Amino acid sequence: MSMLHLHNGESLLDGELDFYPAAVIQPDPLFDILHQQLPWHSDTITVYGKEHRIPRLQCWLGDAGLAYTYSGKTLHTLPWHPVLQQLNQQLNQALGLNNNSVLCNLYRDGNDSMGWHSDDEAELGPAPVVVSMTLGAERDFALRKKGETRMFAKLPLSHGSVLVMKAGMQSRWQHALPKRAGIASARINLTFRQLIQDTAAV
Ligand SMILES: O=C(O)CCC(=O)C(=O)O
């Protein structure tokens, strides 16, 4: 049974983004299942030799044997949750992709965030198409051109939305999920990605 309807997408940022504001057919139960059942954990990253706890919970699931390197750490994907595997298959089919993993982020409230970056790790290949699904609290997705400090645009990502970051986006733009005072409820973001096996770290 299809969990998605990917119709009436808006093309944004000169075609670098496709946005489907209400793509998930039943976003409330999907949020609850993933909130309760995913193996959320609190991770650290090392910046200039110092460990920092990242301001959100996360987990990375996917096909067996995949690994990725993120801020100097090599992590192996955990096995798919069946619902996420089904969603990935449906997204791949609808969009003509071969994504094989999903990075799941849980922003517990408006104090959780993600800093400026591009999804440009070597394992993603030179022109990844990253599919980003939002469930729960609406938060702004901020965009700026690479090499600039000024924010270019903010896109509010609605409950049940799907944002497709197309090939080219990661080489030209950075994105971030800024803190938002006053948001007390949680948001889940799922970014479906293809980890390219033969360049993946082991
Ligand atoms: O939570 C979001 O919408 C952004 C997630 C993100 O930037 C990422 O996973 O690389």
Side-chain angles (χ1 to χ4, degrees):
M1 203 180 62
S2 181
M3 300 161 79
L4 298 165
H5 47 71
L6 290 170
H7 306 302
N8 306 323
E10 294 166 50
S11 175
L12 304 169
L13 220 62
D14 291 334
E16 303 268 25
L17 293 175
D18 282 345
F19 184 52
Y20 301 88
V24 180
I25 292 171
Q26 291 197 297
D28 293 356
L30 183 59
F31 176 90
D32 291 340
I33 289 169
L34 300 177
H35 195 215
Q36 286 159 23
Q37 298 181 9
L38 290 186
W40 299 111
H41 54 259
S42 170
D43 271 336
T44 56
I45 52 166
T46 306
V47 182
Y48 298 117
K50 213 170 154 222
E51 287 238 310
H52 298 268
R53 198 155 287 285
I54 61 171
R56 58 191 179 275
L57 303 183
Q58 66 178 27
C59 57
W60 193 301
L61 314 183
D63 291 354
L66 295 175
Y68 69 103
T69 304
Y70 173 76
S71 296
K73 282 189 181 173
T74 297
L75 300 172
H76 294 266
T77 52
L78 298 170
W80 283 108
H81 184 290
V83 170
L84 288 183
Q85 187 166 28
Q86 214 183 333
L87 270 177
N88 186 50
Q89 282 164 356
Q90 292 181 8
L91 287 165
N92 280 347
Q93 201 173 7
L95 299 168
L97 302 174
N98 289 305
N99 287 338
N100 55 11
S101 65
V102 60
L103 172 62
C104 310
N105 281 296
L106 174 60
Y107 303 88
R108 292 157 287 188
D109 58 29
N111 288 316
D112 276 354
S113 62
M114 189 177 293
W116 289 109
H117 67 286
S118 303
D119 297 333
D120 56 4
E121 289 84 11
E123 292 89 337
L124 299 174
V129 178
V130 176
V131 181
S132 167
M133 180 180 291
T134 288
L135 297 162
E138 180 170 296
R139 297 277 296 265
D140 285 336
F141 182 76
L143 288 153
R144 72 181 184 192
K145 287 192 177 135
K146 264 195 176 170
E148 293 188 6
T149 53
R150 188 178 52 93
M151 185 167 62
F152 178 87
K154 270 192 303 202
L155 175 63
L157 296 181
S158 44
H159 178 43
S161 65
V162 165
L163 179 70
V164 183
M165 296 187 252
K166 306 206 351 229
M169 159 91 191
Q170 307 300 337
S171 56
R172 289 194 274 270
W173 296 87
Q174 287 191 318
H175 54 270
L177 212 281
K179 283 181 195 266
R180 275 291 169 268
I183 293 193
S185 56
R187 168 177 185 270
I188 290 173
N189 177 257
L190 309 168
T191 45
F192 295 87
R193 302 151 185 250
Q194 183 177 16
L195 292 179
I196 295 169
Q197 203 110 50
D198 51 7
T199 58
V202 285

